[in-house]
Coordinates of all heavy atoms in Angstrom, one line a residue:
M91 N 0.9 -1.2 0.0 CA 0.0 0.0 0.0 C 0.9 1.2 0.0 O 1.5 1.5 1.0 CB -0.9 0.0 1.2 CG -1.9 1.1 1.3 SD -3.1 0.9 2.5 CE -2.5 1.8 3.9
F92 N 1.0 2.0 -1.1 CA 1.7 3.2 -1.3 C 3.2 3.0 -0.9 O 3.9 3.9 -0.5 CB 1.2 4.3 -0.4 CG -0.3 4.6 -0.7 CD1 -1.2 4.4 0.3 CD2 -0.6 5.1 -1.9 CE1 -2.6 4.7 0.0 CE2 -2.0 5.4 -2.2 CZ -2.9 5.2 -1.2
G93 N 3.7 1.8 -1.1 CA 5.1 1.5 -0.8 C 5.5 1.4 0.7 O 6.6 1.4 1.0
L94 N 4.4 1.3 1.5 CA 4.7 1.2 3.0 C 4.6 -0.2 3.4 O 3.6 -0.9 3.0 CB 3.6 2.1 3.7 CG 3.7 3.6 3.5 CD1 2.5 4.2 4.3 CD2 5.0 4.2 3.9
G95 N 5.5 -0.6 4.2 CA 5.4 -2.0 4.8 C 4.6 -2.0 6.1 O 4.1 -1.0 6.6
F96 N 4.5 -3.2 6.6 CA 3.7 -3.4 7.9 C 4.3 -2.6 9.0 O 3.6 -1.9 9.8 CB 3.6 -4.8 8.2 CG 2.9 -5.1 9.5 CD1 1.5 -5.0 9.6 CD2 3.6 -5.4 10.7 CE1 0.8 -5.2 10.7 CE2 2.9 -5.6 11.8 CZ 1.5 -5.5 11.9
Q97 N 5.7 -2.5 9.1 CA 6.3 -1.8 10.2 C 6.1 -0.3 10.1 O 5.8 0.3 11.2 CB 7.8 -2.1 10.2 CG 8.1 -3.6 10.5 CD 9.6 -3.9 10.4 OE1 10.4 -3.1 9.8 NE2 10.1 -5.0 11.0
E98 N 6.1 0.2 8.9 CA 5.9 1.7 8.8 C 4.4 2.0 9.1 O 4.2 3.0 9.8 CB 6.2 2.1 7.3 CG 7.6 2.1 7.0 CD 8.1 0.8 6.5 OE1 7.3 -0.1 6.3 OE2 9.3 0.7 6.2
I99 N 3.5 1.2 8.7 CA 2.1 1.5 9.0 C 1.9 1.3 10.6 O 1.1 2.1 11.1 CB 1.2 0.5 8.3 CG1 1.2 0.8 6.8 CG2 -0.3 0.6 8.8 CD1 0.5 -0.2 5.9
L100 N 2.5 0.4 11.2 CA 2.4 0.2 12.6 C 3.0 1.4 13.4 O 2.4 1.9 14.3 CB 3.1 -1.1 13.1 CG 3.0 -1.4 14.5 CD1 1.6 -1.7 14.9 CD2 3.9 -2.7 14.8
V101 N 4.1 2.0 12.9 CA 4.7 3.1 13.6 C 3.8 4.3 13.4 O 3.6 5.1 14.4 CB 6.1 3.4 13.0 CG1 6.6 4.8 13.4 CG2 7.1 2.3 13.4
I102 N 3.2 4.5 12.2 CA 2.3 5.6 12.0 C 1.1 5.5 12.9 O 0.6 6.5 13.5 CB 1.9 5.7 10.5 CG1 3.1 6.1 9.7 CG2 0.7 6.7 10.3 CD1 2.9 6.0 8.2
A103 N 0.5 4.3 13.0 CA -0.7 4.1 13.8 C -0.3 4.4 15.3 O -1.2 5.0 16.0 CB -1.1 2.6 13.7
L104 N 0.8 4.0 15.8 CA 1.2 4.3 17.2 C 1.4 5.8 17.4 O 1.0 6.3 18.4 CB 2.5 3.6 17.5 CG 2.4 2.1 17.7 CD1 3.8 1.4 17.9 CD2 1.5 1.7 18.8
I105 N 1.9 6.5 16.4 CA 2.1 8.0 16.5 C 0.7 8.6 16.6 O 0.5 9.5 17.4 CB 2.9 8.5 15.4 CG1 4.4 8.1 15.5 CG2 2.9 10.0 15.3 CD1 5.3 8.4 14.4
V106 N -0.2 8.2 15.7 CA -1.6 8.8 15.8 C -2.2 8.5 17.1 O -2.9 9.4 17.7 CB -2.4 8.2 14.6 CG1 -3.9 8.5 14.7 CG2 -1.9 8.7 13.3
L107 N -2.0 7.3 17.6 CA -2.6 6.9 18.9 C -2.1 7.8 20.0 O -2.8 8.3 20.9 CB -2.4 5.4 19.2 CG -3.0 4.9 20.5 CD1 -4.5 5.0 20.4 CD2 -2.5 3.5 20.7
L108 N -0.8 8.1 20.0 CA -0.2 9.0 21.0 C -0.6 10.4 20.9 O -0.8 11.1 21.9 CB 1.4 8.9 20.9 CG 2.0 7.6 21.3 CD1 3.5 7.6 21.0 CD2 1.8 7.4 22.8
L109 N -0.8 10.9 19.6 CA -1.2 12.3 19.4 C -2.7 12.5 19.8 O -3.0 13.6 20.5 CB -1.0 12.7 18.0 CG 0.5 12.8 17.5 CD1 0.5 13.1 16.1 CD2 1.1 13.9 18.3
W110 N -3.6 11.7 19.4 CA -5.0 11.9 19.7 C -5.6 11.1 20.8 O -6.7 11.4 21.3 CB -5.8 11.7 18.4 CG -5.7 12.8 17.5 CD1 -6.2 14.1 17.6 CD2 -4.9 12.8 16.2 NE1 -5.8 14.8 16.5 CE2 -5.1 14.1 15.7 CE3 -4.2 11.9 15.6 CZ2 -4.5 14.5 14.5 CZ3 -3.6 12.2 14.4 CH2 -3.8 13.5 13.8
G111 N -4.9 10.1 21.3 CA -5.4 9.3 22.4 C -6.5 8.3 21.9 O -7.1 8.4 20.9
G112 N -6.7 7.3 22.8 CA -7.6 6.2 22.4 C -9.0 6.6 22.4 O -9.8 6.0 21.7
K113 N -9.4 7.6 23.1 CA -10.8 8.0 23.1 C -11.3 8.8 21.9 O -12.4 8.8 21.5 CB -11.2 8.8 24.4 CG -11.1 8.0 25.7 CD -11.5 8.8 26.9 CE -11.4 7.9 28.1 NZ -11.7 8.6 29.3
K114 N -10.4 9.6 21.4 CA -10.7 10.5 20.3 C -10.7 9.8 18.9 O -11.5 10.2 18.0 CB -9.6 11.6 20.3 CG -10.0 12.8 19.3 CD -11.2 13.5 19.9 CE -11.4 14.7 19.0 NZ -12.6 15.4 19.3
I115 N -9.9 8.7 18.8 CA -9.9 8.0 17.5 C -11.2 7.5 17.0 O -11.6 7.6 15.9 CB -8.7 7.0 17.5 CG1 -7.4 7.7 17.6 CG2 -8.8 6.1 16.3 CD1 -6.2 6.8 17.8
P116 N -12.0 6.8 17.9 CA -13.3 6.3 17.4 C -14.2 7.4 17.0 O -15.0 7.3 16.0 CB -13.9 5.6 18.7 CG -12.7 5.2 19.4 CD -11.7 6.3 19.2
E117 N -14.1 8.6 17.7 CA -15.0 9.7 17.2 C -14.5 10.2 15.9 O -15.4 10.5 15.0 CB -14.8 10.9 18.2 CG -15.4 10.5 19.6 CD -15.1 11.6 20.6 OE1 -14.7 12.7 20.2 OE2 -15.3 11.4 21.8
L118 N -13.2 10.2 15.6 CA -12.7 10.7 14.3 C -13.2 9.7 13.2 O -13.6 10.1 12.1 CB -11.2 10.8 14.3 CG -10.6 11.9 15.2 CD1 -9.1 11.7 15.3 CD2 -11.0 13.2 14.6
M119 N -13.1 8.4 13.5 CA -13.5 7.4 12.5 C -15.0 7.4 12.2 O -15.4 7.2 11.1 CB -13.1 6.0 13.0 CG -11.6 5.8 13.0 SD -10.8 5.9 11.4 CE -9.8 7.4 11.7
H120 N -15.8 7.7 13.3 CA -17.2 7.8 13.1 C -17.5 9.0 12.2 O -18.4 8.8 11.3 CB -17.9 8.0 14.5 CG -19.4 8.1 14.4 ND1 -20.2 7.0 14.1 CD2 -20.2 9.1 14.6 CE1 -21.4 7.4 14.2 NE2 -21.5 8.6 14.4
G121 N -16.9 10.1 12.4 CA -17.1 11.2 11.5 C -16.6 11.0 10.1 O -17.3 11.4 9.1
L122 N -15.5 10.3 9.9 CA -15.0 9.9 8.6 C -16.0 9.0 7.9 O -16.3 9.2 6.7 CB -13.7 9.3 8.7 CG -13.0 8.9 7.4 CD1 -12.7 10.1 6.6 CD2 -11.7 8.1 7.7
G123 N -16.6 8.0 8.6 CA -17.5 7.1 8.1 C -18.8 7.8 7.6 O -19.3 7.5 6.5
K124 N -19.3 8.8 8.4 CA -20.4 9.6 8.0 C -20.2 10.4 6.7 O -21.0 10.5 5.9 CB -20.8 10.5 9.1 CG -21.7 9.9 10.2 CD -22.1 11.0 11.2 CE -23.1 10.4 12.2 NZ -23.6 11.4 13.1
G125 N -19.0 10.9 6.7 CA -18.6 11.7 5.5 C -18.5 10.9 4.2 O -19.0 11.3 3.2
V126 N -18.0 9.7 4.3 CA -17.9 8.8 3.2 C -19.3 8.4 2.8 O -19.6 8.3 1.6 CB -17.0 7.6 3.5 CG1 -17.1 6.5 2.4 CG2 -15.6 8.0 3.7
K127 N -20.2 8.0 3.7 CA -21.5 7.6 3.4 C -22.3 8.8 2.7 O -23.0 8.5 1.7 CB -22.3 7.2 4.7 CG -23.7 6.7 4.4 CD -24.3 6.3 5.7 CE -25.7 5.7 5.5 NZ -26.6 6.4 4.7
S128 N -22.1 10.0 3.2 CA -22.8 11.1 2.6 C -22.3 11.3 1.2 O -23.1 11.6 0.3 CB -22.5 12.4 3.5 OG -23.0 13.5 2.9
F129 N -21.0 11.2 1.0 CA -20.4 11.3 -0.4 C -21.0 10.3 -1.3 O -21.4 10.6 -2.5 CB -18.9 11.2 -0.3 CG -18.2 11.3 -1.6 CD1 -18.1 12.5 -2.3 CD2 -17.8 10.2 -2.3 CE1 -17.5 12.7 -3.5 CE2 -17.2 10.3 -3.5 CZ -17.0 11.5 -4.1
K130 N -21.1 9.0 -0.9 CA -21.6 8.0 -1.7 C -23.1 8.2 -2.0 O -23.5 8.0 -3.2 CB -21.5 6.6 -1.0 CG -20.1 6.1 -1.1 CD -20.0 4.7 -0.4 CE -18.6 4.2 -0.5 NZ -18.5 2.8 0.2
D131 N -23.9 8.7 -1.0 CA -25.3 9.0 -1.3 C -25.4 10.1 -2.3 O -26.3 10.1 -3.2 CB -26.0 9.4 0.0 CG -26.2 8.3 1.0 OD1 -26.0 7.1 0.5 OD2 -26.4 8.5 2.2
G132 N -24.6 11.1 -2.2 CA -24.6 12.2 -3.2 C -24.3 11.7 -4.6 O -24.9 12.1 -5.6
M133 N -23.3 10.8 -4.7 CA -22.9 10.3 -6.0 C -24.1 9.5 -6.6 O -24.3 9.5 -7.8 CB -21.7 9.4 -5.9 CG -20.4 10.2 -5.6 SD -20.1 11.5 -6.9 CE -19.7 10.5 -8.3
N134 N -24.8 8.7 -5.7 CA -25.9 7.9 -6.2 C -27.0 8.8 -6.7 O -27.7 8.5 -7.7 CB -26.4 7.0 -5.1 CG -25.5 5.8 -4.9 OD1 -24.7 5.4 -5.8 ND2 -25.5 5.3 -3.7
E135 N -27.3 9.9 -6.0 CA -28.3 10.9 -6.4 C -28.0 11.4 -7.8 O -28.9 11.6 -8.6 CB -28.4 12.0 -5.4 CG -29.1 11.6 -4.1 CD -29.2 12.8 -3.2 OE1 -29.0 13.9 -3.6 OE2 -29.5 12.5 -2.0
V136 N -26.7 11.8 -8.1 CA -26.3 12.3 -9.4 C -26.6 11.2 -10.4 O -27.1 11.5 -11.5 CB -24.9 12.8 -9.3 CG1 -24.4 13.1 -10.7 CG2 -24.7 14.0 -8.4
T137 N -26.2 10.0 -10.2 CA -26.3 8.9 -11.1 C -27.8 8.7 -11.4 O -28.2 8.5 -12.5 CB -25.7 7.6 -10.6 OG1 -24.3 7.9 -10.3 CG2 -25.8 6.5 -11.6
N138 N -28.6 8.7 -10.4 CA -30.1 8.5 -10.5 C -30.7 9.6 -11.3 O -31.6 9.4 -12.2 CB -30.8 8.3 -9.2 CG -30.4 7.1 -8.5 OD1 -30.0 6.1 -9.1 ND2 -30.6 7.1 -7.2
F139 N -30.3 10.8 -11.1 CA -30.8 12.0 -11.8 C -30.4 11.9 -13.3 O -31.3 12.1 -14.2 CB -30.2 13.3 -11.3 CG -30.7 14.5 -12.0 CD1 -32.0 15.0 -11.8 CD2 -29.8 15.2 -12.8 CE1 -32.4 16.1 -12.5 CE2 -30.2 16.3 -13.5 CZ -31.5 16.8 -13.4
E140 N -29.2 11.4 -13.6 CA -28.8 11.3 -15.0 C -29.6 10.2 -15.7 O -30.0 10.3 -16.9 CB -27.3 11.0 -15.1 CG -26.4 12.2 -14.7 CD -25.0 11.9 -14.7 OE1 -24.6 10.7 -14.9 OE2 -24.2 12.8 -14.6
E141 N -29.9 9.1 -15.0 CA -30.6 8.0 -15.6 C -32.1 8.4 -15.9 O -32.6 8.1 -16.9 CB -30.6 6.8 -14.7 CG -29.3 6.1 -14.6 CD -29.2 5.0 -13.6 OE1 -30.3 4.7 -12.9 OE2 -28.2 4.3 -13.5
E142 N -32.7 9.2 -14.9 CA -34.0 9.7 -15.1 C -34.1 10.7 -16.3 O -35.0 10.7 -17.1 CB -34.5 10.4 -13.8 CG -34.8 9.4 -12.7 CD -35.2 10.1 -11.4 OE1 -35.3 11.4 -11.4 OE2 -35.4 9.4 -10.4
K143 N -33.1 11.5 -16.4 CA -33.0 12.4 -17.5 C -33.0 11.7 -18.9 O -33.6 12.2 -19.8 CB -31.8 13.4 -17.3 CG -31.8 14.5 -18.3 CD -30.6 15.5 -17.9 CE -30.6 16.6 -18.9 NZ -29.5 17.5 -18.7
K144 N -32.2 10.6 -19.0 CA -32.1 9.9 -20.2 C -33.5 9.2 -20.5 O -33.8 9.1 -21.7 CB -31.1 8.8 -20.1 CG -29.7 9.3 -20.1 CD -28.7 8.2 -20.0 CE -27.2 8.8 -19.9 NZ -26.2 7.7 -19.7
E145 N -34.2 8.8 -19.5 CA -35.5 8.1 -19.8 C -36.6 9.0 -20.3 O -37.5 8.6 -21.0 CB -36.0 7.4 -18.5 CG -35.1 6.2 -18.1 CD -35.5 5.6 -16.7 OE1 -36.5 6.1 -16.2 OE2 -34.8 4.7 -16.3
V146 N -36.6 10.2 -19.9 CA -37.6 11.2 -20.3 C -37.2 11.9 -21.5 O -36.2 12.7 -21.5 CB -37.9 12.2 -19.1 CG1 -38.9 13.2 -19.6 CG2 -38.3 11.5 -17.9
P147 N -37.9 11.7 -22.6 CA -37.5 12.4 -23.9 C -37.8 13.9 -23.8 O -38.8 14.3 -23.2 CB -38.3 11.7 -25.0 CG -39.4 11.1 -24.3 CD -39.0 10.8 -22.9
E148 N -37.0 14.7 -24.4 CA -37.3 16.1 -24.4 C -38.4 16.4 -25.4 O -38.5 15.9 -26.5 CB -36.0 16.9 -24.8 CG -34.9 16.7 -23.7 CD -33.7 17.6 -24.1 OE1 -33.8 18.5 -24.9 OE2 -32.6 17.3 -23.6
K149 N -39.2 17.4 -25.0 CA -40.3 17.8 -25.9 C -39.8 18.9 -26.8 O -39.1 19.8 -26.3 CB -41.5 18.4 -25.0 CG -42.1 17.3 -24.2 CD -43.3 17.8 -23.5 CE -44.0 16.8 -22.6 NZ -45.1 17.3 -21.9
K150 N -40.1 18.9 -28.0 CA -39.7 19.9 -29.0 C -41.0 20.7 -29.3 O -42.1 20.2 -29.4 CB -39.2 19.3 -30.3 CG -37.9 18.5 -30.0 CD -37.3 18.0 -31.3 CE -36.0 17.3 -31.1 NZ -35.5 16.8 -32.3
D151 N -40.7 22.0 -29.5 CA -41.8 22.9 -29.9 C -42.2 22.6 -31.3 O -41.4 22.4 -32.2 CB -41.4 24.4 -29.8 CG -41.1 24.8 -28.4 OD1 -41.7 24.2 -27.5 OD2 -40.3 25.7 -28.2
E152 N -43.5 22.6 -31.5 CA -44.1 22.2 -32.9 C -44.3 23.5 -33.7 O -44.6 24.5 -33.3 CB -45.4 21.4 -32.8 CG -45.1 20.1 -32.2 CD -46.3 19.3 -32.1 OE1 -47.4 19.6 -32.6 OE2 -46.3 18.2 -31.4

């Protein structure tokens, strides 16, 4: 993953744990999860809108 080995990832995880503490990390991950879910929902809405737009033919003036 990005040229990082297991040892490097472990060191980074330990540094993050020391900086933010064990109680704050679950809160951060919860917020990150909500953000990702919101982004995916928004992308689905755009896709659904585009599909609906293709299904409805445009009316031309006679």
Side-chain angles (χ1 to χ4, degrees):
M91 183 167 98
F92 303 113
L94 296 176
F96 178 74
Q97 292 176 342
E98 288 88 2
I99 293 173
L100 185 62
V101 169
I102 292 170
L104 288 173
I105 291 171
V106 168
L107 183 63
L108 289 173
L109 289 176
W110 282 288
K113 292 183 180 181
K114 190 69 175 174
I115 292 175
E117 294 173 14
L118 292 171
M119 293 299 113
H120 182 71
L122 181 65
K124 279 186 171 182
V126 169
K127 184 179 184 309
S128 175
F129 178 77
K130 285 183 180 180
D131 290 343
M133 291 301 294
N134 287 336
E135 287 179 15
V136 170
T137 304
N138 291 340
F139 178 75
E140 288 177 355
E141 288 174 1
E142 289 175 3
K143 189 175 178 182
K144 288 179 183 177
E145 291 176 2
V146 177
E148 294 183 21
K149 294 181 181 180
K150 294 183 179 181
D151 293 334
E152 293 180 12

